[in-house]
Amino acid sequence: MTKIAIKAQKIFTADFIESNKYLVIEDNKFAGFFSKEDVEKENIPVKEYNDAFIIPGLIDTHIHGAVGHDTMDSTPEALKSIGDYLLTQGTTTWMPTTVTAPLEDIYKAIANVAECKDTLNSARILGMFIEGPYITSKHKGAHPEEHIRPLNKEEIEKMAEYNTVKSIIIAPEKEDAPKFTKWITQDLKIKVSLGHSSANYEEACACFDMGADAGVHTYCAMEQLHHRNPNLLGAIMTRNDVYAELIADGIHVSLPAMKILLQNKAKDKALLVSDAIQGTGLKDGRYMLGTLPFNVKDGIARIDSGNLAGSTTTLLKEVRRLVLELHENPIHAVNMASLNPAKRFGVDDELGSIAIGKKADFLIITPDYELKETWLDGKCVFKA
């Protein structure tokens, strides 16, 4: 067994910041915090980063693509390219995300992830998020209306066959949405997320009561809060049992609106997601999101109608914005992109925080939250 000790200015755990001890990694897992005397006594090799912070590897549970590739490309090469890019940005685990498209295209994307996700030697793939086709036309965003569909049991069963789908979106106003939510969450053991929706408060709560547990990119592609009808947005903000996704790129949601959300959600129920698309990591230009073309200008992605088409951000940039611009508690900001998604998907015993026995996925960052190194399974896989 091999051990290494790492010292940094600050090391973030889920609950506190360690600054005096050494973080020890044994093989591919965290072995705990050791004193200098213990490290010297065991003759453990030491790496020192006295001008840096250490945070856990970040987990993006809603991301379509990057560097010219998309989940809907349905090739191992696309997933490998996206995953390799994510490692250079501090995201160590991700969930390839589909868009509304012809059903055969969605099935093909699911099959591709299922068949190659454990063979890519890249960022870890946790599973898939199926965003569409069971959404509403009014709030379709960058999803093609011609492929939006009513809820269908046979279709969803086919999506679940590969045992790689971890979450699926539903607009709560769809016919029989609460019944489908209960069936999907209880029988198929798949998470249900609510979004791209015109649902009112009662419709949203009916699905949350049946097991839905998250709102998709909160504020975006949904009816806004009204004092006589809080709508889906109000349900996301007021339900303590519900996670709230947030795209904190400063484009999808303003800083004051972010603050309102984070003041209303328990800190362990806020999830940072990138919703990143094919143009992420590339220059301005014209790209594809599923079957829809879009333009990236000044880093902002829009389809031809003007609707936003996902983002070009990364989780570490979002954490940085919350800490340095919104002045969010740094531990909470980091947890929103690591421990909270790990908890939602039931992998917090292995991932999401720096703790004994968990996989040694972590980042070396500057005090300004710029990436220096990415470590995956106890090995450095990227240096800036």
Side-chain angles (χ1 to χ4, degrees):
M1 292 192 177
T2 59
K3 286 184 180 180
I4 186 172
I6 298 180
K7 186 75 166 61
Q9 183 180 338
K10 293 182 179 180
I11 302 176
F12 285 57
T13 75
D15 304 304
F16 64 92
I17 294 175
E18 178 61 65
S19 58
N20 296 314
K21 294 186 177 180
Y22 292 78
L23 175 63
V24 173
I25 298 160
E26 186 169 357
D27 293 331
N28 67 334
K29 295 184 177 181
F30 296 118
F33 289 106
F34 284 39
S35 68
K36 183 178 181 179
E37 291 74 20
D38 288 338
V39 168
E40 292 174 346
K41 183 178 179 181
E42 294 192 33
N43 199 27
I44 301 172
V46 173
K47 291 181 73 71
E48 298 211 14
Y49 301 89
N50 293 323
D51 59 344
F53 298 171
I54 296 178
I55 65 173
L58 305 183
I59 302 172
D60 198 343
T61 57
H62 182 168
I63 170 173
H64 299 277
V67 290
H69 298 279
D70 188 282
T71 299
M72 300 300 292
D73 294 349
S74 301
T75 66
E77 293 76 18
L79 297 177
K80 168 72 171 168
S81 295
I82 298 165
D84 287 351
Y85 169 77
L86 291 176
L87 291 176
T88 72
Q89 303 299 309
T91 297
T92 52
T93 300
W94 66 298
M95 286 175 56
T97 301
T98 62
V99 292
T100 298
L103 284 172
E104 288 305 318
D105 291 353
I106 295 173
Y107 298 149
K108 187 178 178 182
I110 295 170
N112 178 59
V113 172
E115 289 165 9
C116 71
K117 71 181 182 71
D118 296 322
T119 66
L120 297 174
N121 191 30
S122 186
R124 184 179 290 104
I125 292 179
L126 181 59
M128 292 187 76
F129 172 36
I130 307 302
E131 190 183 16
Y134 309 114
I135 61 175
T136 186
S137 295
K138 182 179 178 183
H139 290 289
K140 62 182 182 294
H143 292 248
E145 186 168 359
E146 64 268 25
H147 300 306
I148 293 173
R149 304 175 62 81
L151 287 159
N152 181 287
K153 187 173 183 180
E154 289 72 25
E155 294 170 5
I156 297 171
E157 283 178 330
K158 189 168 183 179
M159 293 177 190
E161 282 179 3
Y162 287 92
N163 198 32
T164 195
V165 173
K166 299 298 182 185
S167 179
I168 188 168
I169 193 172
I170 285 180
E173 68 272 29
K174 303 290 272 192
E175 185 176 357
D176 292 327
K179 183 171 73 174
F180 271 89
T181 298
K182 183 177 181 180
W183 169 67
I184 293 168
T185 56
Q186 293 190 6
D187 292 8
L188 299 183
K189 307 301 182 186
I190 293 173
K191 302 286 186 184
V192 169
S193 305
L194 305 184
H196 282 281
S197 169
S198 302
N200 62 33
Y201 185 83
E202 289 73 23
E203 289 169 327
C205 286
C207 285
F208 285 137
D209 289 343
M210 289 296 104
D213 74 334
V216 177
H217 42 50
T218 306
Y219 289 112
C220 304
M222 61 183 65
E223 291 292 322
Q224 296 305 290
L225 190 147
H226 188 277
H227 59 284
R228 284 191 293 273
N229 186 1
N231 297 309
L232 170 59
L233 176 57
I236 294 168
M237 285 193 174
T238 58
R239 296 276 303 223
N240 294 328
D241 56 342
V242 169
Y243 289 93
E245 284 188 1
L246 174 64
I247 307 172
D249 62 350
I251 297 163
H252 282 75
V253 181
S254 69
L255 289 177
M258 291 183 206
K259 193 167 187 177
I260 291 169
L261 175 65
L262 297 179
Q263 285 180 343
N264 279 275
K265 291 304 297 181
K267 296 303 181 182
D268 63 346
K269 292 295 185 182
L271 300 174
L272 289 179
V273 298
S274 71
D275 198 8
I277 38 73
Q278 187 187 77
T280 303
L282 300 176
K283 295 179 180 179
D284 286 358
R286 192 160 176 86
Y287 303 99
M288 295 294 294
L289 179 61
T291 59
L292 279 181
F294 66 92
N295 296 299
V296 176
K297 184 177 180 180
D298 299 325
I300 302 173
R302 296 185 185 273
I303 59 174
D304 292 342
S305 68
N307 286 350
L308 288 169
S311 85
T312 60
T313 194
T314 65
L315 291 186
L316 186 56
K317 290 177 182 176
E318 295 187 65
V319 170
R320 183 178 191 272
R321 176 168 285 106
L322 290 190
V323 175
L324 300 185
E325 297 181 36
L326 205 63
H327 308 296
E328 181 61 59
N329 178 302
I331 291 178
H332 293 159
V334 170
N335 285 349
M336 289 176 202
S338 54
L339 183 59
N340 294 0
K343 282 184 174 180
R344 186 191 175 204
F345 289 98
V347 293
D348 54 304
D349 59 333
E350 290 188 320
L351 304 171
S353 63
I354 293 172
I356 294 175
K358 292 192 180 186
K359 294 182 183 296
D361 296 355
F362 62 94
L363 313 179
I364 311 293
I365 62 171
T366 71
D368 287 331
Y369 292 79
E370 299 289 348
L371 185 64
K372 292 170 69 73
E373 295 181 10
T374 302
W375 289 61
L376 184 72
D377 281 326
K379 297 180 179 66
C380 181
V381 293
F382 171 76
K383 287 188 177 183

